[in-house]
Amino acid sequence: MKQIIASLVFVYFETKKKAYIAMSTVFNNNLKTLGLLQVSKEQTEIINGPAYKEYIKILYLPAGYKLRVDFACYDTRQPTLFFISPNQYLELEAAGEESGYFIFYNRDFYCIQIHDQEVACDGLLFNNIRNMPKVELLENEIAFLGGLFKEMIEEFQLNDSSLEEMMRTYLKQLLIRATRSWKRQHLTHDVTDQQSDLEFFRKFTRLVEEHYKSKHTVADYADFLCMAPKTITHKFNRLRLPQPNEVIKNRIILEAKRLLVHTSLTAKEIAYELGYNDPAYFSRLFQTKTGESPSGFRANF
């Protein structure tokens, strides 16, 4: 029989003069994990630590928070949702007066790629080539999420045998509502109404995320999509996106920046990691896109 554990986990950590306790409610069932942590000034060190790096993360932050996702900084002026993939780097730099929520879960609990038809968020909330992992919330959405988090906490306290499915249901509700809000905020009405163009956007995004280390040209992705490279360019123009070649290169450069800052790999090793057999060519590409050499970027960051 599978063992289901709903527990209160207490994590202690030290600041200069104070010790704080952070409480999270965590579900574990074999390899499946989902947790809910309240976010406040005292918990920023925990969230920034290595414990949650491997998880998919959703942050609900009221006004007054400041965070960094990879190399972009965000200040919350109203309640906002952030969606962070395991390969992204998250740092909470400042907390507001009101508490927020932090959901973390692994792919064994819910894989958006496998269940993409259920919530249609892959390529929009996660793995987005435009790198916009946030949704600013309206009043009715704030009320909905407040009720949702309350129900999740109550469900943990019940610790019923249906806990796993209830939590997965709540998670899907959050993702569906957030996806609708993202479309409203980041896509024009024309694009939102043209479902085929929106699905193309998501499909291209997922392909780039999956293959950017080995496929570097628009022609490569045209082969995947069974269309001419010019057709992809025309669709990008309709969606008001940058040129597809720039999108591919930007994703490669983003990963190069991550590896330069967060690993000890050399520029040559990073070039090979990203599918470039000519490290000199890769360095020239990096210089063109960023204005700095790989070694200069690492030193300046």
Side-chain angles (χ1 to χ4, degrees):
M1 179 180 295
K2 294 181 179 179
Q3 183 180 14
I4 298 177
I5 303 172
S7 61
L8 295 179
V9 179
F10 295 91
V11 184
Y12 294 85
F13 65 96
E14 294 289 335
T15 60
K16 291 181 180 179
K17 294 184 178 180
K18 296 181 180 180
Y20 294 102
I21 301 176
M23 184 177 70
S24 68
T25 308
V26 179
F27 164 84
N28 286 300
N29 181 357
N30 292 335
L31 298 176
K32 303 172 186 176
T33 301
L34 178 140
L36 177 64
L37 174 71
Q38 195 172 42
V39 181
S40 63
K41 294 178 181 179
E42 292 78 20
Q43 277 82 53
T44 55
E45 289 188 31
I46 296 175
I47 292 171
N48 292 341
Y52 303 107
K53 177 67 178 70
E54 65 187 82
Y55 293 102
I56 302 163
K57 297 170 280 289
I58 302 173
L59 277 164
Y60 170 82
L61 301 178
Y65 282 77
K66 183 176 182 179
L67 70 160
R68 179 187 296 274
V69 182
D70 285 322
F71 303 96
C73 292
Y74 301 91
D75 294 285
T76 59
R77 296 177 175 82
Q78 65 192 79
T80 306
L81 285 169
F82 292 87
F83 300 86
I84 317 297
S85 299
N87 63 336
Q88 292 183 289
Y89 290 86
L90 166 69
E91 182 180 359
L92 269 176
E93 296 183 345
E97 295 300 321
E98 296 182 46
S99 296
Y101 290 97
F102 176 64
I103 296 174
F104 59 94
Y105 62 96
N106 60 10
R107 289 188 175 93
D108 290 301
F109 184 85
Y110 191 77
C111 178
I112 59 171
Q113 287 80 17
I114 294 175
H115 302 283
D116 184 63
Q117 290 185 343
E118 296 177 354
V119 295
C121 70
D122 190 20
L124 298 182
L125 302 182
F126 298 99
N127 303 320
N128 191 318
I129 53 177
R130 299 180 76 176
N131 196 29
M132 295 186 297
K134 70 171 185 173
V135 174
E136 295 180 333
L137 301 170
L138 301 177
E139 287 298 324
N140 64 320
E141 295 165 334
I142 295 169
F144 169 79
L145 285 175
L148 186 69
F149 289 125
K150 181 181 178 181
E151 290 181 11
M152 290 178 72
I153 293 169
E154 291 175 352
E155 190 66 31
F156 272 120
Q157 293 171 348
L158 286 175
N159 195 20
D160 187 77
S161 60
S162 61
L163 173 65
E164 177 180 348
E165 279 309 308
M166 285 295 289
M167 285 299 166
R168 192 173 287 112
T169 299
Y170 290 138
L171 179 63
K172 287 194 283 187
Q173 287 184 57
L174 190 159
L175 292 172
I176 290 169
R177 291 289 291 257
T179 300
R180 292 175 181 173
S181 297
W182 188 94
K183 292 177 184 177
R184 172 176 50 78
Q185 292 175 31
H186 297 294
L187 299 178
T188 65
H189 292 297
D190 291 340
V191 172
T192 305
D193 293 338
Q194 295 172 8
Q195 190 64 25
S196 62
D197 280 350
L198 182 57
E199 285 307 305
F200 166 78
F201 173 86
R202 296 202 315 117
K203 189 170 185 179
F204 187 88
T205 293
R206 296 197 301 270
L207 285 171
V208 171
E209 186 63 29
E210 184 177 355
H211 298 288
Y212 68 89
K213 290 184 179 181
S214 59
K215 306 296 183 183
H216 299 162
T217 69
V218 178
D220 291 328
Y221 294 94
D223 289 341
F224 281 126
L225 295 165
C226 299
M227 61 177 61
K230 287 185 178 179
T231 304
I232 295 179
T233 300
H234 291 326
K235 285 182 175 290
F236 268 61
N237 290 336
R238 282 207 302 271
L239 291 166
R240 299 180 183 178
L241 290 169
Q243 292 300 300
N245 183 60
E246 290 302 301
V247 170
I248 298 165
K249 294 298 187 288
N250 287 342
R251 180 62 186 90
I252 294 167
I253 295 303
L254 172 60
E255 193 65 22
K257 288 179 177 180
R258 289 172 177 168
L259 294 172
L260 285 166
V261 171
H262 300 289
T263 76
S264 59
L265 293 175
T266 66
K268 184 177 181 179
E269 290 169 331
I270 291 171
Y272 292 141
E273 173 73 15
L274 296 177
Y276 289 93
N277 294 322
D278 183 353
Y281 173 82
F282 171 75
S283 293
R284 290 195 298 273
L285 173 65
F286 191 94
Q287 177 90 37
T288 300
K289 297 293 291 182
T290 68
E292 298 178 286
S293 66
S295 59
F297 178 84
R298 172 175 272 166
N300 290 333
F301 191 87

